[in-house]
Amino acid sequence: MTGNNPSRVVIMARDRHLLAHLSDAKLLDREQIQQLLSFGSINRANDRLVRLHAAGLLYRYFAGTIAGGRKAIYAISPRGAAAIGREMVWKLHRSQSELLVGEAGVEHQLAVNWCWISMKSGPNSDLFRFVRFNEPISNSLPLAPDGYAELKSSEEVQPLFLEVDLTTETSRVWARKVELYLKLATSGEFQEIFRQKRFKVAVVCTSQRRLQNLRRTVRKQTSKLFYFSLLETARRDGFAAPHWFRPEGDARESIA
């Protein structure tokens, strides 16, 4: 139990799961939280989030929506981290309840988290491991993917790196990324760090036009490793479902 009336709340098992998810994911909106924790209704999810925020366990911000409204975004607070025995390692440097406008970093983090949720709870997918990077994966490779996942398919484990593209990076930046992933694949460093033989790179875009542009950029260097799809499709059909394009060709493939 924490806080004083009217903000007193008993921390339940589902609350602890939420706090643990936020400790890892940094930011989650209500829709993401509802899908992760299987709240029976929007009202029930909103009521619990309001209580946890009032008790000081969550930080709350607001972001504008396409429809012109706003939605709440939540992060773990120091009190919330202490409640699950974790240290506070990340904080969004904005005032609570502030309306976040044009925050590309926030939009990107939420998109990455949708991919993680799709891997974790979507159909055709069994997430075995997910790692987020706050720094490059090694001293010799200045490469910091948006995530590294291991998906279980039948009896095999499929390692993959996640790249979520919101059109903020130039073709030159992407060409360098491709170069670094190819080096990671051929140098033996991937096997040494992750104890797996080979990997794929899942590139998630928000528009078909951008997807095609990135396919063209990548295939100048390789037709291997890389798979492309849309965030909307991954959310709807499940991350591992057969909706992925290779740098060349029109066939849709599963990434698992």
Side-chain angles (χ1 to χ4, degrees):
M1 185 177 290
T2 185
N4 298 315
N5 287 329
S7 302
R8 182 171 295 178
V9 63
V10 177
I11 302 177
M12 311 298 288
R14 183 159 57 183
D15 301 329
R16 294 184 182 277
H17 287 311
L18 169 59
L19 294 171
H21 286 323
L22 282 170
S23 180
D24 294 331
K26 299 180 181 177
L27 295 168
L28 292 168
D29 64 25
R30 189 271 311 157
E31 187 179 1
Q32 292 174 328
I33 291 168
Q34 188 174 355
Q35 185 164 333
L36 276 170
L37 299 177
S38 301
F39 280 96
S41 69
I42 294 175
N43 287 341
R44 180 174 293 182
N46 283 337
D47 178 71
R48 194 60 185 170
L49 291 169
V50 166
R51 290 174 182 269
L52 294 174
H53 173 253
L57 296 165
L58 302 179
Y59 287 142
R60 182 180 64 189
Y61 311 93
F62 291 97
T65 65
I66 295 176
R70 67 176 190 171
K71 65 178 180 180
I73 299 172
Y74 296 91
I76 194 170
S77 71
R79 181 178 292 183
I84 57 171
R86 297 195 185 185
E87 294 184 5
M88 185 75 176
V89 296
W90 183 87
K91 183 179 185 297
L92 182 64
H93 295 288
R94 298 290 185 274
S95 300
Q96 282 207 66
S97 298
E98 180 179 347
L99 181 61
L100 308 176
V101 179
E103 294 279 353
V106 170
E107 293 177 14
H108 184 264
Q109 189 61 54
L110 291 175
V112 170
N113 289 339
W114 270 124
C115 293
W116 164 63
I117 292 168
S118 179
M119 294 179 196
K120 182 179 177 65
S121 58
N124 307 308
S125 178
D126 187 2
L127 181 62
F128 183 69
R129 180 187 181 195
F130 191 85
V131 179
R132 294 173 173 85
F133 300 94
N134 296 315
E135 56 188 22
I137 60 178
S138 78
N139 292 330
S140 61
L141 280 171
L143 182 66
D146 291 320
Y148 168 76
E150 292 177 358
L151 300 179
K152 212 165 185 181
S153 176
S154 299
E155 297 181 357
E156 297 183 353
V157 171
Q158 175 58 62
L160 62 87
F161 290 102
L162 174 65
E163 291 283 350
V164 175
D165 180 85
L166 298 185
T167 73
T168 57
E169 294 178 318
T170 65
S171 296
R172 180 177 296 181
V173 170
W174 263 99
R176 177 59 174 159
K177 279 189 182 186
V178 176
E179 183 181 318
L180 291 172
Y181 275 118
L182 290 173
K183 182 178 179 182
L184 181 63
T186 57
S187 65
E189 197 161 5
F190 172 74
Q191 292 88 338
E192 183 179 341
I193 296 172
F194 295 95
R195 305 300 179 188
Q196 297 287 350
K197 292 182 179 180
R198 58 184 63 87
F199 64 86
K200 297 176 180 178
V201 182
V203 182
V204 179
C205 305
T206 55
S207 75
Q208 189 65 236
R209 181 177 180 180
R210 179 64 170 178
L211 184 151
Q212 297 302 337
N213 286 341
L214 290 183
R215 290 179 74 199
R216 284 192 290 271
T217 298
V218 170
R219 67 174 172 254
K220 290 178 182 177
Q221 296 188 63
T222 184
S223 60
K224 301 179 180 179
L225 293 182
F226 289 83
Y227 291 71
F228 302 83
S229 192
L230 297 176
L231 179 61
E232 178 184 6
T233 307
R235 287 182 57 184
R236 183 189 66 225
D237 298 345
F239 199 86
H243 50 74
W244 296 89
F245 293 98
R246 306 300 303 276
E248 294 180 344
D250 297 323
R252 298 172 186 262
E253 302 179 18
S254 170
I255 203 165

